[in-house]
Amino acid sequence: MKKGPVKGTLLFLLMVLVPFFLSIYYVNILSEILILSVFAVSLNILVGQTGLVSLGHAAFFGAGAYATGLAALKFSTNIFITIGIGLIFALLLALIIGLLSTKAHGFYFLMLTLACSQIFYSIVYQWTNVTGGSNGLSGIAPVDLVGGLRLSNQVFVYYFILVVIAILLFILSRFLHSPLGTVFIGIKENEERMKSIGYNTALYKNISFLIAGTIGGLAGGLYVVFNGFISPNDVYWTASGSVLIMVLIGGVGTLWGPVIGAAFIVILETIISSYTENWMMIIGAAFILFVIFAPNGIVGIFNSLKRTLLKRQKLEHETSKIIQMKQETKMDG
């Protein structure tokens, strides 16, 4: 049996036990980390797998969050219906922005995604009758799971989010090794070559955009279920920048990198913000250091250490064999 699934299962079981040992404060921090992990994982599909650097990903988070919140307020309190509506809205928004943005490349693609995201922010901010405007969408009651079980307890919400991200990471681990995932990586590495061998790269980039946007909407829906509130600040372009930092610090193009990056940023922010108001400056400095000295992120550091240890063990093993052979030769002599 492969080590990856075993480690993933053990980590899941450990996370299940967390509420029995930690206070509700730390459980809420973990819930926030898991939600932002979903958000970061969705952006990683664009940045890490397809090579499309976006600064407008907060729009999909916001679409999923606002649609889920409005559905819970005016339509249904069933969590699968409300989040499902959020996913549909995020998918439709990703379809529109993707068709516009994927026609451009590089810097122009980044600026188009940023512009589209800011248009969405303006709509949310000014459509006061529906979204609550600058005051945000509040009063969202706890939703129902199944059989009338209401997620009014933050521990239940934590378990629900944990199950969702576990399923998501399992699916993505399969996806990364699928033919479609391979095509995305091919586009990232050399789009012109992919075109020359017959792939419609524009179509595949739009598919990547749809998948990433929908998962981003899932993160927004989970955020509303957890927080019961969403405001325009959560869909401003700085939110897109923050999640991009999480992906880059964790490790671009890896499965666990965005999760580790989200945990790193949330924990760092929680600790530093309790001591100083200039926590954003410190996080910015940490980001610069990672870009300069560890461009492959935290996962890249772990992989480098692992390779170094394996080489050292191999060298020690070979050295011990040589010494043993010399000793046997002397004894024979």
Side-chain angles (χ1 to χ4, degrees), residues 197-220:
I197 59 178
Y199 283 98
N200 185 348
T201 57
L203 173 63
Y204 284 104
K205 285 195 288 187
N206 276 290
I207 293 172
S208 174
F209 218 94
L210 287 175
I211 295 171
T214 305
I215 298 175
L218 173 63

Side-chain angles (χ1 to χ4, degrees), residues 142-195:
V143 291
D144 300 323
L145 189 57
V146 287
L149 176 62
R150 178 151 290 191
L151 296 180
S152 56
N153 190 314
Q154 290 297 89
V155 175
F156 291 159
V157 174
Y158 165 77
Y159 280 132
F160 178 78
I161 297 170
L162 179 61
V163 170
V164 169
I165 193 171
I167 294 171
L168 177 64
L169 289 175
F170 175 77
I171 293 172
L172 287 178
S173 67
R174 301 287 181 178
F175 169 76
L176 292 177
H177 300 93
S178 69
L180 182 59
T182 305
V183 173
F184 288 170
I185 293 172
I187 292 172
K188 176 189 175 183
E189 297 298 329
N190 195 325
E191 185 177 352
E192 294 303 319
R193 180 171 292 181
M194 294 298 288
K195 285 181 180 179

